[in-house]
Every structure is written in structure tokens, then in C-alpha cells.
Amino acid sequence: MKFYGIDNKDFRLYQSYLNNRYCRTAISNDSENGNKVSHWAKVRHGVPQGSVLGPPLFLLYINDLPKIINKTSTPIIFADDTSILFAHPKLIDLSKNIHVIFTTLNKWLRANQLSLNFNKTNYVHFTTKRNMTTNLEIGFNNKFINNSSYTKFLGVTIDHTLFWKNHIELLVKKLCTACYILQNAKIYMSASSLKMIYYAFFHLAMSYGIMFCGNSSHSSMIFRLKKRQLELWKDVGTESHVEIYLRN
């Protein structure tokens, strides 16, 4: 903290917040009508779970991570979600760059008393539809991460060919649920209430990421559901032009 300019009273405030904290584990036991509780243990690492100061303190803790891996890669950090992008026209050089950065990353984690969860970490090899993906062995100390055909980033599912099929299939499920809700709610609610439900459940989900997947060949499924919603609004009968009503 002092390295980043947090000193004097501010430093002592954080110090008092983190020092001398204790925790214990409670396990509910219905058969004995009570809980089994462990002994109190002093918290030597980490921050209190669910606290307001937890996320900013964690970001401060990993603030220097991008500087050590940005020579041949592009790190993207959002809260506790870290992604690293690699690009190279030659597969051999790409594999070498990944190996060097992945080794550097794991050494940094170990030096900062952190560890990588290999079961929750994977990589996606982005390529064109005509080119076959190559199974790259990415690991450290005989532990390897798995190859995946898609990944989820900030609520958008990105597949390895950028065809957006996985994202649209998941989106269609959400929109079908929204259609079911609106179909059953129109009997009991006014047009203004239905409009709020439409924007909360259907329009919001459909609009998020549409600039990426809207030109996909699979996007026709989305617009068919949109058309179904317009048909539903015609039954409401409050406006002759449905699109104008939804925009107002």
C-alpha cells in the first residue's frame, strides 16, 4: 500500500481493518438439533468475503500483474476475472509466447501467495471455420489447462470461429422464457406494465451484445422471437403501430 502512496492515517485505517481478524466454520447438523463449530483461527491472508473493501483491495494487490505479461500478450482484467490474448501468424512462435507468459504468470502467482485454479482455467484457439484448431499444451509443473471451443466474457459467449452460435442458443432460451412470461402476463396486466416487463426481460437480453452477433447467420432465431413479440403486442390493442408504442 505504501508503494502506491497509501500512507499515514490512510494506511493505519486499512491496517486496523485487516489486522487481528478471526474466523471459524459452522456446520449445521439437523439430526442433533445444533451446529458443529470449529475453533477460532486467525486470518493471515485475504480479505473478508462480501466486504465493500474486498474488490478494490484485491485489484490493488494484483495491480502490477499486467506489467509483467504485456510484452507479447494483451492482458484484460475485470474484477477477479483475468483474460490474456495472444496473436501471432506462426503457430510455433505463438506456442513459445504462450509458454513463456504462462510460466511467468505462475511464478508471479506463487511469489504473491496465490495459485491458479487449473480446473477453472481454459483457453480458446480462435481460428477461421476452414482452419482446424490445434491442441496446444499449456501448463506449468505438469499441470495443464483444457482447450475449449468457447468462452464466456462479460456475459457474452464467444466461440472459437466467432460464428456466435453458442451465444445465440443461450440467448434464445432466455428470450423464450421472456415470451412465456409476457404471454401469460398480458391477461392480467395493463399495456404499460407489459411494456416494463418487455424491456426488463426481453429487450434488455436481446440488445446486449447484438452489435457482435447481429450479423451472424444464426441471428434469424432472435428476430423470429422479436416478431413473435410484435404479434403479442397487436393483441394488446393499445396502439395501431406496435414498433412506435415500444419506442415511446
Side-chain angles (χ1 to χ4, degrees), residues 158-170:
I158 309 172
D159 59 85
H160 70 285
T161 56
L162 297 181
F163 265 52
W164 304 102
K165 181 180 179 181
N166 299 88
H167 177 76
I168 291 173
E169 287 178 349
L170 292 173

Side-chain angles (χ1 to χ4, degrees), residues 175-188:
L175 296 181
C176 286
T177 302
C179 289
Y180 177 80
I181 293 173
L182 284 164
Q183 183 69 33
N184 289 275
K186 73 175 184 178
I187 306 173
Y188 307 100

Side-chain angles (χ1 to χ4, degrees), residues 185-204:
K186 73 175 184 178
I187 306 173
Y188 307 100
M189 294 187 174
S190 63
S192 58
S193 298
L194 288 173
K195 182 180 177 182
M196 289 189 292
I197 296 175
Y198 167 81
Y199 277 106
F201 289 94
F202 191 95
H203 186 79
L204 183 64

Side-chain angles (χ1 to χ4, degrees), residues 27-225:
I27 302 175
S28 60
N29 193 338
D30 296 332
S31 60
E32 298 181 4
N33 297 324
N35 297 334
K36 290 187 176 182
V37 183
S38 66
H39 297 291
W40 287 101
K42 191 173 184 178
V43 178
R44 302 185 182 276
H45 306 287
V47 294
Q49 294 292 316
S51 61
V52 176
L53 288 176
L57 286 174
F58 178 77
L59 291 176
L60 186 67
Y61 191 69
I62 65 171
N63 187 61
D64 61 324
L65 174 59
K67 294 182 180 180
I68 68 167
I69 59 175
N70 64 356
K71 293 181 180 180
T72 57
S73 65
T74 304
I76 301 174
I77 296 179
F78 182 80
D80 61 344
D81 188 7
T82 301
S83 302
I84 307 175
L85 304 180
F86 297 89
H88 203 284
K90 296 181 179 180
L91 184 60
I92 296 177
D93 293 331
L94 175 66
S95 180
K96 289 180 179 178
N97 291 341
I98 294 174
H99 176 72
V100 171
I101 294 300
F102 198 72
T103 302
T104 303
L105 171 64
N106 280 275
K107 289 182 178 179
W108 181 91
L109 291 171
R110 180 175 295 180
N112 288 272
Q113 299 181 347
L114 297 172
S115 61
L116 182 68
N117 190 333
F118 284 80
N119 295 325
K120 293 184 178 180
T121 305
N122 54 54
Y123 75 91
V124 180
H125 185 194
F126 294 100
T127 182
T128 59
K129 189 177 181 180
R130 294 181 179 179
N131 295 333
M132 297 295 292
T133 58
T134 303
N135 188 18
L136 302 171
E137 289 190 351
I138 304 175
F140 182 75
N141 285 347
N142 293 323
K143 292 182 179 180
F144 298 91
I145 61 176
N146 296 321
N147 181 18
S148 178
S149 59
Y150 65 92
T151 185
K152 195 170 184 178
F153 183 71
L154 299 181
V156 178
T157 304
I158 309 172
D159 59 85
H160 70 285
T161 56
L162 297 181
F163 265 52
W164 304 102
K165 181 180 179 181
N166 299 88
H167 177 76
I168 291 173
E169 287 178 349
L170 292 173
L171 177 59
V172 166
K173 291 180 180 180
K174 292 182 180 179
L175 296 181
C176 286
T177 302
C179 289
Y180 177 80
I181 293 173
L182 284 164
Q183 183 69 33
N184 289 275
K186 73 175 184 178
I187 306 173
Y188 307 100
M189 294 187 174
S190 63
S192 58
S193 298
L194 288 173
K195 182 180 177 182
M196 289 189 292
I197 296 175
Y198 167 81
Y199 277 106
F201 289 94
F202 191 95
H203 186 79
L204 183 64
M206 181 190 67
S207 302
Y208 187 75
I210 195 67
M211 63 180 297
F212 302 112
C213 65
N215 291 325
S216 170
S217 59
H218 303 282
S219 62
S220 59
M221 295 186 290
I222 300 175
F223 298 112
R224 281 198 295 266
L225 288 172

